[in-house]
Each structure stands twice: as C-alpha cells, then as structure tokens.
C-alpha cells in the first residue's frame, strides 16, 4: 500500500561508533528504516570516533572511504545514522557530490510516506518544514557562487529571505490548524470522561505489533505490516470487556532518538496517550534489544507527560519465543506483564481479563489515584525489565 517503486534510490549507510553502545542494533534499525523509505541498501560503512568531526562529522579519511564506496556500488544517496548539523550536511554533499541525509530526515520521509489522515499529513508537513528551516540555504547554494554579471545580479539574498518568509507563514498556518484539531480532540476526550469510560492507549517501540494487537482485539482492520512506522494516525475503537466498555487507541510507534521536531508536531496526537487511564506497553519479546526498546519508549513517554500513566507490559510475539501465555503480578497483586501473541491469539483472553480488572477498578474508584490492577511506568524500570530475563516466568523468552 505504501511501497515505492522497485527502482528505489541506491543508498550507502554510515554508522559510526561514538561510544553510545548497541551499535549492531542501531545499524540493523537503520537498514530497516532505509528499506521502509524505499531505498536499496548497497553497502554499509562503519567506523569509530571519540567525537564527531565539526566539519564532516566522519572525518576526512572516512569521507574518502564513503566516496570510494559510492563509486564502487554506483550509489546515489548516503544515509547517516546520526543527526547532522546543516553545515556538516552541506560539507558532506560537496565532498561526496551526492545527496546526504541524516537519521532525522529519513524518519521524516517515512512519516510523510505513511501519513493518511488530514491531521497526520499536517503534522508531518509541520515537522518537515521545521527541520527544513535550518537547512534552507541548501536550496540556494548556486547563488553563493554568483559574483555579478549580466543576468546574474541581485536576487540571491532576496530570494532566500522570501523563501524563509513563505515558510514561516506556512508553519504558522499549520500550527493554527493543528491547534483547532487539538481542541476538537479535547472535546471528544471530555465526552468520554463524562461517560466514565476507561481510556486505554497502545504504546510501544515501532514494529512491536501494536496494530496487529489492536486489530485482533477490536476487528478494526487498521493497517498493520512488518515495517517501521506502519501506523501514524491514532485510531480509537470501543471494546467491551467483563468490567464494561473501554476505549482502545492505537498510536504511533516510538523509536530511539526520536526527532524532537516530530514529538512537537505530533503533540496533539500524543496528548491522547498522556491523557489515557492505562497504557498497554507492547514489547517485541523476540527482540534481543527489547530492554533498550522499553527504556526508549519510557523516555519518550516521560517527554510527552505520560511517564506517570499506569502501564501493563504486553510481551508480544511469544509464538516466536515459544513462551507460554501468562500473567505476571507484582508484590501488591497488580498486573505487571501479560505474555501473548497478537498474531496467533494465544494469551488474548488473559489481556481481556486484565483490561476488565482495570475497567472495574476504574469504575469503582472515587479518587484519581493509581489503578489497583496496573503498574506505573516508574515501577517497571528498565533495570527491572532487564533482570526479568533471568526470572522463572520469563526465562523462556530468551532466544
């Protein structure tokens, strides 16, 4: 549905080890991002530096290696798995004589490819324009070389300033329109609160299986695929469980180093997550990097003001790990984890029971304190998640 033509751009990926750890996982994620954007990965250039080079990020020797790789593989695009400054990007393009994009631009491109709703498209455009604003000079670099002459005098700076003004006007219009949509969303949210319906949001790392779980629970038919950021637009459905009705919302997946421009642009959508009564934090239990993914999601949740919303960890894809469906509770009897497979339906009844328990506690509680049946995000710290790999209940999840 969202695939680009098979003759996509031929890309060379660049991954430098700057001491941030999990380099192999980061590179694997970059390859998925590149293919999700429609690129064909021709080669990977790796390296190690103590700190980025101020001018070229990778250093002159590594840039020469990248240039040689481009020539050997006849590639036309270089993708850095890092955030490049406008000057670094401009210098790299001059040195390599091809287009260079960073991780932020790549994610923005995928978001533009996936957005379907009117609000989603507005949010992506706003994020793209805000990212472009710092790189606007790139579109007019040919004017920098103009030293005058017949037909060449004048408009360089004027054209650039005109472009900046038009961009600023468009950004202002987008923010106004998104604010209007945000107020409409708040009205719908207040109506649900008056009906005292439990609000549940699905959150998790991208490609963890949130949309598949959403479709399995609600029969909604939301788009789900084995690709990064398959879901951008929030979809909500009413779901009946033993404790009453709940409103379940499928939201955009998170990723490590999520660009701040995207978080800001998707503020209205992410408010749905921050205002939820319970978060179903879906985890790809088959991923060796799952503990870092849990930490990355919790960091984004804290950034958008949802760090204190109670969570139920949903350890998905047990069909790949051969783990048994189960429910794990903490020392206070609160539900901590549910082990299931959204694809096969194993353990789905356990999750419904957990939601029914949360809905019952929500309906019977007169105070806005923590729900009795779930655990706060802070209670499930990354260290706990990591230590759980050796516990009897989760030992079978290891590959």
């Amino acid at each position: 549905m969202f695939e680009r033509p098979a003759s996509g751009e031929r890309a060379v990926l660049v991954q430098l080890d700057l001491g941030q750890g999990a380099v192999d996982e980061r590179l694997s994620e970059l390859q998925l991002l590149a293919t999700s954007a429609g690129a064909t990965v021709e080669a990977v250039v790796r390296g190690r530096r103590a700190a980025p080079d101020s001018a070229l990020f990778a250093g002159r020797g590594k840039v020469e290696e990248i240039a040689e790789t481009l020539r050997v593989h006849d590639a036309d695009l270089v993708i850095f798995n890092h955030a490049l400054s406008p000057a670094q990007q401009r210098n790299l393009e001059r040195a390599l004589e091809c287009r260079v994009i960073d991780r932020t631009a790549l994610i923005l491109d995928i978001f533009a490819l996936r957005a379907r709703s009117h609000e989603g498209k507005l949010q992506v455009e706003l994020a793209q324009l805000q990212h472009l604003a710092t790189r606007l000079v790139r579109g007019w670099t040919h004017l920098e070389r103009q030293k005058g002459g017949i037909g060449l005098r004048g408009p360089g700076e004027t054209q650039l300033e005109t472009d900046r003004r038009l961009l600023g006007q468009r950004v202002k219009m987008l923010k106004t329109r998104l604010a209007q949509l945000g107020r409409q969303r708040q009205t719908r949210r207040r109506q649900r609160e008056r009906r005292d319906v439990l609000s549940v949001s699905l959150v998790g790392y991208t490609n963890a299986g949130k949309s598949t779980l959403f479709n399995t629970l609600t029969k909604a038919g939301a788009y789900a695929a084995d690709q990064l950021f398959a879901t951008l637009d929030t979809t909500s459905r009413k779901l009946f469980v033993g404790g009453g009705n709940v409103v379940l919302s499928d939201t955009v997946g998170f990723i490590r180093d999520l660009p701040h421009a995207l978080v800001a642009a998707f503020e209205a959508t992410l408010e749905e997550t921050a205002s939820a009564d319970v978060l179903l934090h879906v985890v790809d239990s088959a991923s060796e990097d799952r503990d870092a993914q849990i930490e990355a999601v919790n960091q984004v949740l804290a950034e958008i003001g949802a760090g204190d919303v109670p969570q139920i960890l949903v350890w998905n894809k047990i069909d790949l790990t051969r783990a048994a469906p189960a429910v794990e509770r903490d020392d206070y009897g609160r539900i901590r984890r549910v082990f299931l497979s959204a694809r096969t339906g194993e353990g789905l009844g356990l999750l419904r029971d957990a939601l029914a328990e949360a809905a019952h506690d929500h309906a019977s509680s007169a105070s806005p304190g923590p729900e009795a049946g779930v655990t706060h995000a802070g209670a499930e710290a990354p260290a706990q998640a990591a230590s759980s790999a050796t516990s009897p209940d989760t030992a079978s999840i290891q590959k």
Side-chain angles (χ1 to χ4, degrees):
M1 182 177 181
F2 298 108
E3 294 181 356
R4 288 177 174 174
S7 57
E9 294 176 278
R10 301 160 64 89
V12 171
L13 309 184
V14 179
Q15 172 68 65
L16 301 182
D17 182 358
L18 301 173
Q20 71 272 46
V23 177
D24 291 337
E25 289 79 7
R26 290 173 181 270
L27 178 58
S28 176
E29 191 172 87
L30 177 63
Q31 291 173 323
L32 282 174
L33 286 169
T35 54
S36 295
T40 301
V41 178
E42 297 294 331
V44 174
V45 176
R46 304 181 63 162
R48 178 177 295 178
R49 286 185 64 89
D53 180 76
S54 59
L56 295 169
F57 193 89
R60 191 160 299 280
K62 185 60 63 175
V63 170
E64 291 175 358
E65 180 184 343
I66 297 170
E68 178 62 24
T69 306
L70 281 168
R71 285 191 292 270
V72 170
H73 294 276
D74 192 27
D76 47 17
L77 175 67
V78 176
I79 303 176
F80 274 72
N81 197 22
H82 310 275
L84 300 175
S85 70
Q88 288 169 337
Q89 185 173 352
R90 186 165 59 250
N91 292 338
L92 284 166
E93 289 183 339
R94 287 172 175 168
L96 298 173
E97 298 181 346
C98 75
R99 242 173 5 103
V100 177
I101 65 172
D102 63 2
R103 178 185 175 87
T104 299
L106 179 61
I107 293 176
L108 286 170
D109 184 77
I110 297 173
F111 270 53
L113 187 64
R114 301 280 191 266
R116 287 175 289 170
S117 72
H118 175 62
E119 183 176 14
K121 291 177 181 178
L122 291 179
Q123 291 174 129
V124 172
E125 183 183 356
L126 175 60
Q128 286 181 315
L129 291 179
Q130 290 174 329
H131 181 68
L132 177 65
T134 61
R135 291 160 166 78
L136 195 56
V137 69
R138 288 177 59 239
W140 306 100
T141 50
H142 64 287
L143 295 174
E144 296 174 0
R145 297 190 296 270
Q146 294 180 3
K147 303 299 183 182
I150 297 174
L152 296 178
R153 298 184 182 96
E157 182 67 19
T158 303
Q159 178 63 67
L160 182 59
E161 291 302 319
T162 300
D163 209 55
R164 282 176 174 159
R165 186 178 69 254
L166 293 175
L167 186 146
Q169 292 173 351
R170 181 65 178 171
V171 166
K172 183 178 180 180
M173 185 278 292
L174 289 172
K175 288 182 176 180
T176 300
R177 179 59 182 145
L178 287 171
Q180 293 173 348
L181 294 173
R183 287 192 292 270
Q184 295 172 7
R185 191 186 300 276
Q186 288 178 352
T187 300
R188 293 193 296 270
R189 189 181 304 131
R190 284 195 295 267
Q191 291 174 347
R192 289 201 303 267
E193 290 172 352
R194 283 197 294 268
R195 293 196 297 268
D196 200 28
V197 177
L198 182 72
S199 175
V200 180
S201 284
L202 286 166
V203 300
Y205 210 77
T206 181
N207 208 29
K210 297 181 301 301
S211 294
T212 301
L213 179 60
F214 181 78
N215 288 336
T216 305
L217 285 170
T218 65
K219 314 299 181 186
Y223 181 72
D226 185 19
Q227 53 187 204
L228 300 184
F229 300 116
T231 300
L232 282 191
D233 304 306
T234 299
T235 305
S236 298
R237 292 290 187 274
K238 186 178 291 186
L239 175 67
F240 180 78
V241 294
N245 284 323
V246 303
V247 173
L248 186 64
S249 299
D250 186 21
T251 60
V252 62
F254 299 146
I255 197 170
R256 60 165 62 91
D257 303 325
L258 188 67
H260 291 289
L262 277 179
V263 175
F266 278 73
E267 181 179 2
T269 301
L270 296 175
E271 281 179 357
E272 193 80 15
T273 299
S275 64
D277 299 307
V278 177
L279 301 179
L280 293 184
H281 184 163
V282 183
V283 179
D284 181 357
S285 64
S287 171
E288 296 180 354
D289 198 32
R290 59 181 176 273
D291 296 328
Q293 293 176 358
I294 291 173
E295 182 179 2
V297 171
N298 283 332
Q299 287 176 351
V300 177
L301 290 174
E303 186 176 349
I304 66 175
D308 292 329
V309 179
Q311 289 188 14
I312 297 175
L313 277 178
V314 179
W315 284 54
N316 189 26
K317 304 186 183 182
I318 62 170
D319 54 309
L320 301 180
T321 62
R322 299 183 180 178
V327 170
E328 180 182 302
R329 295 177 182 268
D330 62 17
D331 294 337
Y332 300 95
R334 297 176 298 191
I335 296 173
R336 191 161 171 252
R337 290 186 181 90
V338 179
F339 301 89
L340 54 78
S341 169
R343 188 177 66 85
T344 66
E346 296 177 88
L348 207 61
L350 298 176
L351 180 59
R352 284 182 170 274
D353 292 343
L355 289 174
E357 184 176 324
H360 178 269
D361 293 337
H362 176 75
S364 61
S365 177
S367 63
E371 282 76 6
V374 293
T375 303
H376 277 280
E380 179 52 36
Q384 282 184 303
S387 64
S388 67
T390 58
S391 67
D393 289 335
T394 58
S396 57
I397 291 179
Q398 299 294 327
K399 280 192 173 181

